Amino acid sequence: LEHVDADIEEGLYLPLSLINDCRRQVTTKLGKALWQRPRSSSAVELPAKSSTIIREPETLGVSVISLPEARAAEEAGADWLVFGREWLTTGIEVYLQEYKEVAQEIGVPVILRLPRILHSDEEQLMIKHLPQDVEVLASSTAACGVAAARGIKVRGDHGLNVLNSWAAEFFPLLSVTLSQELTHREVDDVSAKSAVPLELVVHGRQLLMIHENCLLSASCGGRKDKCHGEDELVDRKMLRFPVYTD
């Protein structure tokens, strides 16, 4: 949009629900207008895909956060493990040491999960201390960059939101976990068109989001001693989403 005029009378009040509804209507109309525009003849052509797709036998991976969980998963028949949370609860050095202890004790391959949120100083520590022979599971482009800086093999986690075969092959990854938003038909379509090994989350409670800043600080005046550690968010449809702090 090049120019917008807004004439607002003094004292005019609009409820937030009406403003959001207007925003949705505008977005819908803009989308329709864009799709109706003639396509440019100079559009970028996507590279051709390999016609040969070889699938490996299915394996079962289990996510764990401690040595007892790792032992239980191995005894239950897991083919490989992913160690670590999607956010940091300790320092980088402690986190990596915990991973090393699990990897040394367990007889199946153990992949290190890189946290979704890494501050600049944490990124530098992770790059400095990551062992060269480790495989990592990355949920963000930043995490992929950290691993690439160390020349480490990377697997893509569901946080990359891979929705199609082109996204699956965007990064040079050992494997890709498809987005949990895909339907069975869409999963079949990506599988038929992508040569990258694919993974699916088949069981377990999944986080809706991980927020870098505390969502509950306003209700407790920014004081940790007043925080009760859990609350909920309520959206415009009155759906309730539980919130837990680390």
Side-chain angles (χ1 to χ4, degrees):
L1 298 178
E2 295 182 357
H3 183 74
V4 176
D5 289 322
D7 297 322
I8 302 176
E9 299 178 4
E10 185 176 353
L12 178 64
Y13 169 79
L14 291 176
L16 185 59
S17 59
L18 181 58
I19 296 175
N20 287 334
D21 183 61
C22 291
R23 184 184 297 115
R24 286 190 291 271
Q25 291 185 41
V26 170
T27 302
T28 300
K29 290 181 179 180
L30 283 174
K32 289 181 178 179
L34 288 173
W35 279 110
Q36 291 172 355
R37 293 174 59 184
R39 295 187 177 183
S40 171
S41 58
S42 59
V44 177
E45 292 187 4
L46 294 173
K49 289 180 174 290
S50 172
S51 58
T52 304
I53 297 178
I54 301 175
R55 289 286 172 226
E56 299 178 358
E58 295 178 357
T59 58
L60 176 64
V62 179
S63 178
V64 300
I65 59 173
S66 66
L67 183 55
E69 287 189 4
R71 287 172 175 160
E74 182 183 24
E75 291 175 1
D79 297 299
W80 48 275
L81 305 179
V82 174
F83 176 82
R85 300 179 184 271
E86 297 189 61
W87 66 93
L88 281 175
T89 58
T90 63
I92 296 293
E93 294 90 341
V94 175
Y95 184 66
L96 294 178
Q97 182 59 38
E98 291 174 345
Y99 160 76
K100 291 178 181 178
E101 292 174 359
V102 171
Q104 291 171 357
E105 290 284 336
I106 300 302
V108 298
V110 181
I111 300 168
L112 175 66
R113 170 177 274 123
L114 295 184
R116 286 203 201 183
I117 298 174
L118 285 173
H119 297 287
S120 297
D121 56 338
E122 294 171 335
E123 281 189 18
Q124 296 305 315
L125 283 173
M126 188 70 80
I127 292 174
K128 179 179 179 180
H129 294 290
L130 270 177
Q132 289 291 131
D133 58 348
V134 69
E135 284 188 14
V136 299
L137 188 69
S139 289
S140 66
T141 54
C144 289
V146 169
R150 291 280 289 165
I152 293 171
K153 297 177 181 179
V154 187
R155 297 180 181 273
D157 203 359
H158 62 88
L160 291 176
N161 293 323
V162 172
L163 299 170
N164 54 60
S165 58
W166 298 106
E169 298 182 5
F170 183 79
F171 290 104
L173 303 175
L174 294 177
S175 65
V176 172
T177 304
L178 295 180
S179 170
Q180 299 168 79
E181 299 179 14
L182 294 180
T183 64
H184 288 178
R185 180 179 298 179
E186 290 169 336
V187 169
D188 290 340
D189 180 69
V190 178
S191 179
K193 296 177 180 178
S194 175
V196 177
L198 303 176
E199 297 169 3
L200 294 173
V201 177
V202 296
H203 178 74
R205 298 177 63 183
Q206 298 300 312
L207 298 173
L208 180 65
M209 68 177 74
I210 297 177
H211 206 280
E212 182 175 3
N213 301 307
C214 181
L215 297 175
L216 309 181
S217 60
S219 61
C220 60
R223 295 178 55 182
K224 288 187 176 182
D225 59 321
K226 298 292 184 180
C227 179
H228 45 79
E230 60 183 74
D231 207 326
E232 61 183 15
L233 298 178
V234 182
D235 70 2
R236 60 186 177 82
K237 295 184 178 180
M238 301 307 294
L239 294 175
R240 300 179 181 276
F241 301 90
V243 176
Y244 299 94
T245 61
D246 57 10

